[in-house]
Amino acid sequence: MINFSILIKGKVQGVFFRASAQQEANRLGLTGYVRNQADGSVYAEVEGQEEIVEEFIHWCFTGPPNARVTDVYSEKGLLKNFKTFDIRHSD
């Protein structure tokens, strides 16, 4: 099991990115959360098997149909043992 923090930039708010990310994470069996950031980006933290997390990160480069992703940054972190994958409100 690994943990990754992911920051997605571009036209990623107002295009159902969070809901689509939750659907994709659930499909892949990942846990964690996704939230909008004040600067217009989307932040996600995911946990799961390494190959599956990599598949989710790859999905983030495209996102849902109306998204226009310009950059994706990911960084390995410490496991937090999330139980589900949630949509969280902005900080």
Side-chain angles (χ1 to χ4, degrees), residues 48-66:
Q49 297 298 322
E50 186 169 0
E51 325 66 63
I52 307 297
V53 170
E54 288 174 6
E55 187 175 338
F56 180 83
I57 292 170
H58 181 74
W59 175 87
C60 289
F61 280 89
T62 304
N66 290 329

Side-chain angles (χ1 to χ4, degrees), residues 1-89:
M1 296 285 286
I2 62 169
N3 170 296
F4 263 86
S5 298
I6 308 162
L7 185 65
I8 306 106
K9 295 189 172 233
K11 183 182 179 216
V12 293
Q13 289 189 17
V15 295
F16 299 101
F17 201 102
R18 291 178 302 159
S20 297
Q22 182 183 45
Q23 184 177 19
E24 183 68 5
N26 287 337
R27 182 185 76 78
L28 294 170
L30 298 173
T31 59
Y33 68 92
V34 63
R35 70 172 182 238
N36 285 339
Q37 300 286 89
D39 66 359
S41 64
V42 169
Y43 175 84
E45 198 165 330
V46 296
E47 292 184 348
Q49 297 298 322
E50 186 169 0
E51 325 66 63
I52 307 297
V53 170
E54 288 174 6
E55 187 175 338
F56 180 83
I57 292 170
H58 181 74
W59 175 87
C60 289
F61 280 89
T62 304
N66 290 329
R68 298 293 173 260
V69 177
T70 58
D71 291 298
V72 176
Y73 304 96
S74 60
E75 182 176 10
K76 194 171 183 178
L78 299 174
L79 279 176
K80 297 181 182 168
N81 297 308
F82 297 112
K83 302 296 182 210
T84 59
F85 192 93
D86 301 313
I87 295 174
R88 293 189 180 174
H89 295 288

